[in-house]
Amino acid sequence: MAVLDLKGLLKIFGTDVRAVDEIDLHIEHGELISLLGPSGCGKTTTLRLVAGFIDPNAGEIVMDGEVVSNANSVIPPERRNMSMIFQSYAIWPHKTVSQNVGYGLKFRGITGAEADKRVKSLLSVVQMDHLGARYPSELSGGQQQRVALARALVVEPAVLLLDEPLSNLDANLREEMRFEIRRLHDEFHITSIYVTHDQAEAMVTSDRICVMNSGKIEQVGKPSDIYDIPATKFVAEFVGVTNSIRGKIGAPGLFEASDGAKFMMNADGGKAGELVSIRPHRIQVHPENADVGGADAQNVIDGEVTRGYYFGSTVDYLVKVPGLEEPLRVIGDPHQFFGVGSKVRLTIEKAAVILVSDS
Amino acid sequence: MTQDAQQLPGMISGGEPSATRKFDYTVIVWVVLLILLIILVANPIFQLFKESFFVSEDEAGGFTFQNYIDAFETDEYYKPMYITMMLAISVGSISLVVGAVMAWVVSRTDIPCPNLIRNGILASFVTPPFLGAIAWIFLAGQNEGWLNKWIRGLFGLSEEFYLFDIFTMKGVVFAMSLYSFPLVFIVVLAGLNNISSDVEDAANVAGGGTFHTMFSITLPLVAPSLFAGFILAALEAMILFGIPAVLSIPAGQHTMTTQLRAFMVSEDDLLGLASAYAMPMLILAIGMVWTRGIVLGRRGYATVGGKGGQRRPQKLGAWRIPIFILCLIPLVCAIVLPGFALLTTSFMRNLGGGLEWSNFTLWNYHFILTNDAVRVSIYNTILLAIMAATGATIVAAVSAFIAQRKLIKGHQYMGFMATAPIGIPGIVLAVGLFAAYTKQPFVLYGTLWIMFLAYLTKYLPLAYQTANAGLSSIHPELEESCRIMGANRLQVFKDVTVPLFKTAVIASWILVFMPSLRELSASVLLWTTNTKVISVVIVDFYEETLLGPISALGVLLLLITLVAIVAGFRLVGRDFMSSSG
Amino acid sequence: MLKGIIAGLLAVALLSAPVFAADEATMRAAKKEGKITWYSSITLNIAQHICNNFNKKKMGVKCILHRDGSGKLYRRYLQERKGGIYVADVVHTSNLGHFLNLKAKKIITPYKPAGTDNFNPKFVTKDNYWTILRAGVLMPFYNTKKISAKDAPKTYADFLDPKWKGKIVHSHPSYSGFVTNGMINIVNKFGWDYYKKMAKQKPKIVQSAAGGIPLVARGEAWLGAGTTSYSLLKLIQKGEPLKPIVPPAGLALVTSPNGVFTKAPNPNAARVFTDYLFSMETMQLLADYFLYVGNPDVKYPKALPPLNKINLMAIGGAELKKKNKPTRKMFKKLFGV
């Protein structure tokens, strides 16, 4: 277990591609943090910097108080006591499952019966104990992934790095393995960094999520915070779907959209901003002229449905409202379906209107 | 999406994170490689270039263009260039037709025994061309060639009549084509295997017959391969030394390679003239290789084995047997007849005598096995082939590894450097090595090392391409995962890279070993008393017209090659004979 | 005849004890050096035979043979010298002109081989820079199966008969000092016109002087324009269907010197070996191979015409040196290679 500190970490590829742009990140003992972002956001580069595969141009990586990387010196990966799970599993095809899992032990001075014992125990943790003598080519994708997990965990690393570990699996298996990774983390409590572009994966597995974009950190927080209180337009739009509305704060607690609509919100300590985010499922849909109660406690807006897709568990509407150029996206209850052209009344809690920075 | 992993040289590995820091040995590895490539390629070519501007005879002579003027103005030196170009075009064209048709037949039709044809072509590919040429003297000498005698006997013709005369430029073209068409075959076969047979099926459905489909659909589709095959065969004809040395000198005609050697062994010091004379060959050869590269795209190599199994073969119908027999003719000419001629000649007491028991002798074998020069040459040949194969494979494997894993700054130049010698004709390379390493401070002349350098340089591209192809099938994460588990780079190399890489490495080793056994065009300029190799002894004996011992030595060389091939098949499997040409 | 030779060889074998003398000190030093490298242009099997015999003596000195044409040996030595490589100890070629050059540049050093005092004066030199190891004549010849004695050419001019077109084999002067020498003699007699006409006969070109013999023996060519007499006679002895031609105009005599390099890496072994070359044993061996040698005591095979019975053409070293390069150039011009 270890505490990791990334301080002002900078990595430039070529002459001017700032793949990781002076980021700061603190990772606690036993924490699983996800680096979430679109391709090219710098999350994998960050992971590889932490692993020691790449050396930074500036800044440093501190592990339990020791600098493991800075611009001048980089402790090579093999000396960091980390493990990594790769996108391609990277199971060595010429070694059996047991040999794969046991490989790292010899570098930690564990050999013979003790090594066998640990390999067996880890294989049983990932439910692969019966397949120890198999070669990787004889395994399914999910089984290979389990071998990779066992191999990474058997050495009891201080830090576990996961690089899009599930992206090569099919959908069902991916879902199963998410829970498996979380289960293993709960069992071993290894400080972990999990790189993914899949928000659901990040939500399920992580203690905290670090959303990255263009080499910078957009927001770090608990999954619920990231979702409910996105700090930036990017986070709001990348993590889930949202309605981003441009405008300005008129008076405390009142946001005036550029096209005229006004939204009440919780007065936010005088924070300035030109953009609010409203999650579609935080908007309730009611029949036309429905009595929705106190109009000063919530926003009440009338509009017209321009699109309604039935999804079984939800209905995905677009509702045209006065004072907004773009229709609002609304997730509604399927038990009360409104067809295209229906007049509806929308209510939005003040707390659902989140002021975000425009980055 | 992962970012391209980049790593810089001079990574630090400290015993303690913040304590003493020392350089990773990777730095040393790449410095060594760079120096090696400078020694192998850059310096010889530079020296060649330099020498071409100096008159070597009087050592006081300064900078001059005289060598170029001599080389290109004099008729007798200009003519070999013209002859060589004509040879290249003729051999290229003949090889193209024979090779392409045979590739089509093997890949696409219901010809009987396609594997027989395929293996036969591979066998002609590994037969030393100079041996083939010598054997064809026995077969198609104007007066005494067995084929001429046979035809005379058959039709009761006079002594004066002859059908074949190998000592003519036509004979040279014939012999060269026999050993060049496999190059076309290999490239075109690979091209054909990359094309779905659906397109042919579509043509059949539309009403096109087998041959119409071949000419109007299949061959145009493999046009890049055809072009590349032509270039390869023409290039081979241009840079070949053995066949012209055996056949065209008696015919009173130098080619560029034999003229180049004549300069080098002349009792006058003509190194400058030789260097100037080598320039057009060098430029032309490199140009041809580049053109081929552009036409073929990035896929610079092709595999003979291929996976053409699941195709619907075109029906040859009544033509099936006649075409099969036609396909056997080049193989009979390239291997069966020469092999027979060499084998029988090697047991003949009097070359003028016939195939009779009274003419049987083991003297030729006794001669070669008791001759000091031959014994030394057998030892040298095998030693050099092992050294070259091992050296080239190591250098190729390491540089391919560095290039693919982007281990160091400038890694993108690794591949270029390792394959840089690809266009350099062996004999030109030898002139360069000669110019570079016969004078202080680097005197390698007279040692096996200079020949080792020549072989290494000549076959490094082949080894590199084989190794690179093998390595590219190993995902970098396999190594990184090993690294993060606690292995340093050398351990990673040992535990993961090498085992995964082994097949490609063995293939590359054998692919260098085999041609090294018969290397002639560079050796013939670099050998000294103690560094003779079998091919040189054969040419040497040929110049003394010791045809019996040559045959015995040829049989011996073929046997060693055969052993190497069998070992290759055993260790790697049939597909190991990939070629980069 | 064969019996005679065997008897001769046996006699030599019996005599094989100290047939040549080197003083004790030289011998000891030679043993220390352990080997001697001989650059020699004499036909491979003879050169090898000499080396093998020398090695059989087990004197602690090994003979390493490097056999090549005269011109190539000369170039090789100079090239090696330029690179500061000295491997050769003793040199023997058929180009006296080269030896003049070597002497002028002091690349060879005087050494008088033991036992040459009573030699034919034509085979020894006053300054001892070299001694003639062997002499032979350049001999035209033909295949007796293809051409009858009646039809065979009798003179040099007969070779120019159009009926022999494409049937002649000619050796290359750039490779063979023997051939260069012979050509200069013939040009002296008949002018370059002779070779202009010869070129029109489209002869097959082989490199070494002896290279034409097997071609004619196999019937691939019918006539040889000129080869080393010793190779020819030896093969005739072996039963090949060949016969020499002795034109009335004469045969070119080629004397082949042997010398010791100044910078021989094994100077003592070089002297021991040179002594061996001129010992009775080797002299008789060469004679048995149909070569003329300086030692008056050797017994020649009956088939070898005594030197004084042949009409000889000969040129001196200075002339050879002067005409060597122009001859080779002219040949290339006329014959294309």
Side-chain angles (χ1 to χ4, degrees):
Chain A
M1 279 209 243
V3 178
L4 272 175
D5 260 306
L6 281 51
K7 296 179 185 167
L9 205 57
L10 172 69
K11 178 66 201 174
I12 299 173
F13 286 128
T15 51
D16 56 353
V17 182
R18 298 171 79 89
V20 175
D21 198 354
E22 300 185 26
I23 62 167
D24 296 288
L25 185 63
H26 175 81
I27 304 162
E28 266 307 325
H29 273 302
E31 188 180 23
L32 194 162
I33 192 165
S34 313
L35 303 182
L36 178 65
S39 29
C41 74
K43 57 189 191 298
T44 295
T45 307
T46 306
L47 192 77
R48 298 173 66 83
L49 281 163
V50 173
F53 287 126
I54 320 178
D55 50 349
N57 295 82
E60 56 186 29
I61 300 170
V62 182
M63 185 172 166
D64 289 335
E66 283 176 333
V67 176
V68 294
S69 286
N70 66 23
N72 303 317
S73 73
V74 170
I75 294 178
E78 63 267 24
R79 297 181 161 276
R80 298 186 170 214
N81 194 23
M82 296 181 177
S83 280
M84 187 158 169
I85 296 183
F86 295 84
Q87 203 169 355
S88 65
Y89 325 131
I91 301 297
W92 302 306
H94 59 300
K95 293 181 187 287
T96 63
V97 167
S98 295
Q99 284 167 347
N100 262 283
V101 174
Y103 180 79
L105 290 175
K106 69 176 177 189
F107 300 110
R108 287 155 180 85
I110 300 161
T111 52
E114 172 64 15
D116 290 346
K117 205 184 94 195
R118 291 209 192 180
V119 169
K120 282 217 177 70
S121 107
L122 243 300
L123 282 177
S124 78
V125 168
V126 296
Q127 295 140 33
M128 292 282 294
D129 33 354
H130 55 301
L131 298 175
R134 291 271 183 95
Y135 277 93
S137 58
E138 301 162 324
L139 301 179
S140 70
Q143 286 171 324
Q144 293 193 22
Q145 190 61 70
R146 285 168 190 276
V147 175
L149 275 167
R151 186 177 68 182
L153 293 172
V154 75
V155 296
E156 297 174 2
V159 175
L160 177 63
L161 307 172
L162 303 101
D163 182 11
E164 309 233 8
L166 307 182
S167 61
N168 280 343
L169 298 176
D170 63 51
N172 288 336
L173 210 50
R174 198 181 305 161
E175 203 156 305
E176 180 193 327
M177 288 306 291
R178 277 178 207 160
F179 299 121
E180 181 75 6
I181 287 172
R182 184 65 220 183
R183 177 180 76 80
L184 290 170
H185 185 257
D186 290 340
E187 190 171 337
F188 290 91
H189 289 293
I190 297 168
T191 307
S192 304
I193 305 179
Y194 189 118
V195 162
T196 181
H197 62 266
D198 180 333
Q199 42 160 318
E201 231 172 273
M203 297 273 175
V204 170
T205 53
S206 318
D207 297 319
R208 282 194 300 154
I209 294 175
C210 167
V211 183
M212 293 184 70
N213 184 31
S214 308
K216 291 192 188 299
I217 293 178
E218 294 274 336
Q219 187 178 3
V220 185
K222 286 188 290 188
S224 57
D225 288 349
I226 294 284
Y227 193 80
D228 291 337
I229 321 169
T232 66
K233 174 171 183 269
F234 175 82
V235 174
E237 289 180 352
F238 186 75
V239 183
V241 288
T242 197
N243 296 290
S244 295
I245 299 161
R246 200 164 284 280
K248 63 173 198 288
I249 295 171
L254 189 70
F255 184 82
E256 294 172 359
S258 322
D259 302 327
K262 290 188 170 59
F263 294 93
M264 290 184 292
M265 52 193 282
N266 287 334
D268 202 353
K271 209 164 116 184
E274 297 179 323
L275 209 59
V276 290
S277 155
I278 305 169
R279 296 281 182 199
H281 69 269
R282 299 293 296 274
I283 305 174
Q284 276 81 48
V285 195
H286 310 276
E288 193 180 9
N289 298 324
D291 178 13
V292 293
D296 46 350
Q298 59 185 0
N299 297 292
V300 179
I301 307 163
D302 288 332
E304 184 183 329
V305 174
T306 59
R307 190 197 77 185
Y309 290 150
Y310 181 73
F311 276 95
S313 60
T314 56
V315 186
D316 190 336
Y317 296 107
L318 286 180
V319 180
K320 180 79 185 125
V321 297
L324 280 182
E325 180 101 339
E326 294 289 314
L328 282 173
R329 181 129 175 234
V330 179
I331 304 292
D333 182 349
H335 295 112
Q336 197 175 16
F337 183 79
F338 301 97
V340 172
S342 310
K343 303 281 187 206
V344 291
R345 174 161 288 178
L346 305 175
T347 57
I348 309 168
E349 279 177 65
K350 279 185 187 175
V353 182
I354 309 292
L355 194 62
V356 296
S357 70
D358 182 9
S359 56
Chain B
M1 239 332 261
T2 45
Q3 285 280 358
D4 260 6
Q6 291 217 0
Q7 287 179 281
L8 299 169
M11 300 253 283
I12 309 287
S13 69
E16 293 292 314
S18 50
T20 49
R21 291 160 175 170
K22 56 186 181 195
F23 277 110
D24 195 334
Y25 20 78
T26 326
V27 181
I28 300 161
V29 170
W30 95 271
V31 169
V32 166
L33 270 175
L34 203 69
I35 291 173
L36 190 65
L37 292 172
I38 288 170
I39 291 174
L40 291 179
V41 186
N43 190 31
I45 297 303
F46 169 74
Q47 295 289 349
L48 181 76
F49 195 67
K50 201 185 103 188
E51 286 291 343
S52 75
F53 290 105
F54 288 89
V55 173
S56 0
E57 198 159 1
D58 55 297
E59 280 145 30
F63 181 88
T64 177
F65 286 109
Q66 194 56 44
N67 290 323
Y68 286 94
I69 295 167
D70 285 352
F72 304 120
E73 225 183 34
T74 326
D75 244 17
E76 59 206 73
Y77 298 152
Y78 172 76
K79 200 174 167 213
M81 293 190 201
Y82 170 77
I83 291 284
T84 305
M85 293 306 116
M86 288 298 112
L87 269 180
I89 292 169
S90 322
V91 171
S93 311
I94 294 173
S95 302
L96 178 64
V97 173
V98 176
V101 168
M102 287 179 77
W104 174 76
V105 164
V106 167
S107 155
R108 286 298 203 264
T109 70
D110 59 348
I111 195 88
C113 317
N115 282 335
L116 176 77
I117 296 173
R118 193 197 305 255
N119 292 336
I121 290 172
L122 292 186
S124 31
F125 189 53
V126 299
T127 305
F130 56 88
L131 276 186
I134 290 170
W136 271 93
I137 297 174
F138 306 137
L139 293 165
Q142 177 187 342
N143 297 316
E144 283 300 295
W146 300 349
L147 296 179
N148 282 326
K149 276 179 148 177
W150 179 65
I151 286 171
R152 268 178 230 141
L154 205 62
F155 299 105
L157 298 164
S158 80
E159 286 277 288
E160 297 291 313
F161 177 84
Y162 64 93
L163 195 59
F164 310 104
D165 182 4
I166 199 72
F167 288 115
T168 55
M169 291 324 277
K170 275 182 206 152
V172 176
V173 169
F174 169 76
M176 281 186 169
S177 302
L178 282 182
Y179 301 102
S180 300
F181 88 87
L183 292 167
V184 179
F185 175 86
I186 288 166
V187 174
V188 175
L189 190 70
L192 283 170
N193 286 344
N194 284 337
I195 291 173
S196 160
S197 63
D198 293 351
V199 292
E200 289 158 357
D201 296 350
N204 291 153
V205 170
T210 297
F211 296 99
H212 185 266
T213 304
M214 168 182 143
F215 285 113
S216 64
I217 304 291
T218 317
L219 289 183
L221 276 173
V222 290
S225 304
L226 294 176
F227 181 77
F230 171 80
I231 292 266
L232 277 179
L235 183 63
E236 175 78 0
M238 189 174 96
I239 65 178
L240 206 58
F241 170 77
I243 291 179
V246 169
L247 298 179
S248 71
I249 290 180
Q253 188 53 63
H254 269 307
T255 63
M256 286 175 86
T257 51
T258 59
Q259 180 61 62
L260 204 50
R261 184 193 179 224
F263 287 144
M264 293 295 287
V265 298
S266 160
E267 54 188 86
D268 316 307
D269 186 352
L270 299 178
L271 182 57
L273 182 56
S275 302
Y277 201 72
M279 283 298 158
M281 219 168 138
L282 180 65
I283 292 163
L284 216 67
I286 290 176
M288 284 162 89
V289 169
W290 282 10
T291 317
R292 181 194 67 127
I294 292 163
V295 169
L296 267 192
R298 294 186 57 205
R299 194 173 40 80
Y301 57 89
T303 308
V304 185
K307 300 182 188 68
Q310 297 303 317
R311 302 176 183 283
R312 188 181 64 89
Q314 299 274 311
K315 295 247 186 310
L316 290 174
W319 288 98
R320 195 161 170 257
I321 299 303
I323 287 181
F324 177 66
I325 290 166
L326 270 180
C327 282
L328 289 184
I329 290 176
L331 303 180
V332 168
C333 291
I335 355 167
V336 180
L337 287 176
F340 176 75
L342 285 180
L343 196 64
T344 48
T345 308
S346 74
F347 290 109
M348 274 157 83
R349 186 189 309 276
N350 273 328
L351 297 178
L355 282 174
E356 295 137 18
W357 274 114
S358 61
N359 201 20
F360 175 86
T361 183
L362 288 174
W363 183 84
N364 293 318
Y365 288 94
H366 180 259
F367 178 85
I368 61 163
L369 294 175
T370 53
N371 181 297
D372 276 351
V374 175
R375 276 199 300 215
V376 168
S377 77
I378 293 173
Y379 173 79
N380 286 341
T381 302
I382 294 176
L383 181 68
L384 267 173
I386 291 174
M387 279 165 66
T390 310
T393 304
I394 290 173
V395 175
V398 174
S399 42
F401 182 71
I402 290 176
Q404 286 222 355
R405 297 298 179 254
K406 301 169 182 170
L407 288 185
I408 59 169
K409 222 173 205 170
H411 58 80
Q412 59 271 45
Y413 305 116
M414 274 286 165
F416 172 76
M417 288 179 82
T419 51
I422 197 168
I424 306 174
I427 197 158
V428 175
L429 177 71
V431 177
L433 286 168
F434 190 91
Y437 303 115
T438 46
K439 53 193 173 204
Q440 308 291 352
F442 302 112
V443 180
L444 295 176
Y445 182 71
T447 66
L448 278 179
W449 292 110
I450 194 166
M451 303 183 66
F452 170 68
L453 287 190
Y455 289 24
L456 191 59
T457 315
K458 193 171 170 186
Y459 299 118
L460 188 56
L462 180 65
Y464 182 82
Q465 284 169 343
T466 313
N468 201 41
L471 199 57
S472 62
S473 62
I474 305 173
H475 199 290
E477 288 183 351
L478 289 171
E479 287 154 359
E480 287 172 353
S481 63
C482 191
R483 198 85 198 282
I484 197 103
M485 295 314 299
N488 65 27
R489 287 185 184 181
L490 281 187
Q491 283 162 329
V492 172
F493 201 68
K494 184 175 111 275
D495 288 346
V496 172
T497 320
V498 168
L500 291 178
F501 201 15
K502 210 168 51 189
T503 309
V505 166
I506 294 173
S508 140
W509 195 92
I510 291 170
L511 282 174
V512 176
F513 182 78
M514 281 197 307
S516 295
L517 284 177
R518 65 168 207 227
E519 207 294 327
L520 175 64
S521 63
S523 314
V524 81
L525 294 188
L526 298 174
W527 66 277
T528 49
T529 316
N530 302 327
T531 59
K532 279 190 180 180
V533 290
I534 294 177
S535 58
V536 163
V537 171
I538 289 178
V539 169
D540 222 26
F541 282 6
Y542 182 74
E543 283 168 6
E544 306 232 2
T545 328
L546 295 169
L547 296 175
I550 287 177
S551 307
L553 208 46
V555 170
L556 190 73
L557 186 56
L558 289 177
L559 280 180
I560 301 174
T561 310
L562 195 68
V563 169
I565 296 177
V566 170
F569 276 67
R570 278 278 172 86
L571 289 170
V572 190
R574 209 192 57 167
D575 286 355
F576 87 96
M577 293 272 289
S578 63
S579 163
S580 72
Chain C
M1 189 176 68
L2 193 64
K3 260 186 197 165
I5 286 165
I6 291 169
L9 284 172
L10 270 176
V12 168
L14 288 172
L15 285 170
S16 66
V19 285
F20 61 99
D23 65 78
E24 290 273 322
T26 313
M27 199 59 226
R28 261 201 310 278
K31 267 197 184 98
K32 207 171 234 170
E33 289 159 2
K35 62 178 181 186
I36 172 265
T37 303
W38 186 32
Y39 277 21
S40 173
S41 74
I42 196 167
T43 307
L44 179 66
N45 56 339
I46 303 181
Q48 190 71 58
H49 199 160
I50 293 174
C51 259
N52 288 348
N53 283 354
F54 181 76
N55 289 339
K56 273 184 206 144
K57 301 244 166 283
K58 299 202 189 303
M59 291 185 297
V61 181
K62 186 171 163 50
C63 165
I64 297 166
L65 171 68
H66 178 61
R67 142 70 223 182
D68 213 329
S70 300
K72 279 153 85 180
L73 286 173
Y74 179 71
R75 166 89 255 120
R76 177 172 289 274
Y77 189 80
L78 293 186
Q79 188 60 46
E80 288 171 354
R81 182 169 169 266
K82 212 168 142 190
I85 306 167
Y86 295 99
V87 285
D89 298 299
V90 179
V91 58
H92 166 64
T93 79
S94 290
N95 193 320
L96 205 49
H98 289 161
F99 275 74
L100 285 174
N101 285 339
L102 295 174
K103 176 181 157 188
K105 292 186 183 167
K106 295 277 185 278
I107 294 173
I108 47 175
T109 189
Y111 178 68
K112 184 179 164 61
T116 52
D117 292 333
N118 65 336
F119 268 33
N120 180 339
K122 281 185 179 150
F123 284 75
V124 291
T125 50
K126 283 199 190 78
D127 54 16
N128 290 315
Y129 271 95
W130 62 80
T131 310
I132 302 299
L133 180 64
R134 43 114 186 182
V137 288
L138 192 71
M139 240 174 199
F141 62 106
Y142 67 96
N143 182 314
T144 53
K145 280 190 191 163
K146 299 286 178 189
I147 307 175
S148 69
K150 185 167 66 69
D151 294 336
K154 308 282 186 296
T155 67
Y156 288 108
D158 287 350
F159 276 80
L160 305 178
D161 189 321
K163 69 177 169 181
W164 306 129
K165 189 168 180 181
K167 296 195 163 32
I168 304 173
V169 58
H170 201 294
S171 298
H172 201 299
S174 282
Y175 298 88
S176 167
F178 214 96
V179 171
T180 318
N181 195 323
M183 277 184 70
I184 293 171
N185 276 299
I186 288 167
V187 171
N188 282 347
K189 211 135 212 163
F190 304 106
W192 273 109
D193 194 48
Y194 180 77
Y195 281 105
K196 276 179 197 145
K197 287 176 183 154
M198 178 61 92
K200 294 217 173 73
Q201 292 288 70
K202 295 267 166 211
K204 286 193 175 68
I205 308 298
V206 293
Q207 303 204 347
S208 70
I213 302 175
L215 280 188
V216 178
R218 289 185 62 241
E220 198 47 65
W222 293 8
L223 286 164
T227 188
T228 49
S229 50
Y230 57 100
S231 313
L232 179 70
L233 296 171
K234 188 76 193 171
L235 281 169
I236 291 173
Q237 184 188 47
K238 269 178 77 182
E240 294 285 1
L242 300 167
K243 204 162 181 209
I245 298 168
V246 184
L251 295 169
L253 176 73
V254 182
T255 55
S256 308
N258 186 83
V260 175
F261 283 120
T262 313
K263 288 223 171 181
N266 310 298
N268 295 292
R271 283 160 178 80
V272 169
F273 181 74
T274 304
D275 283 356
Y276 176 74
L277 284 180
F278 290 93
S279 69
M280 183 61 190
E281 176 179 333
T282 313
M283 289 288 106
Q284 184 60 53
L285 179 85
L286 292 172
D288 292 336
Y289 272 111
F290 300 88
L291 280 157
Y292 302 106
V293 293
N295 191 319
D297 302 330
V298 298
K299 291 192 172 53
Y300 290 107
K302 283 206 185 74
L304 181 67
L307 210 46
N308 53 18
K309 296 273 171 65
I310 313 172
N311 181 13
L312 291 175
M313 308 188 280
I315 52 168
E319 186 177 0
L320 184 58
K321 186 179 161 186
K322 196 178 112 217
K323 292 187 176 169
N324 177 20
K325 195 171 174 180
T327 303
R328 287 183 289 118
K329 275 208 145 156
M330 193 66 182
F331 184 89
K332 163 132 177 99
K333 198 165 185 166
L334 293 176
F335 291 86
V337 287

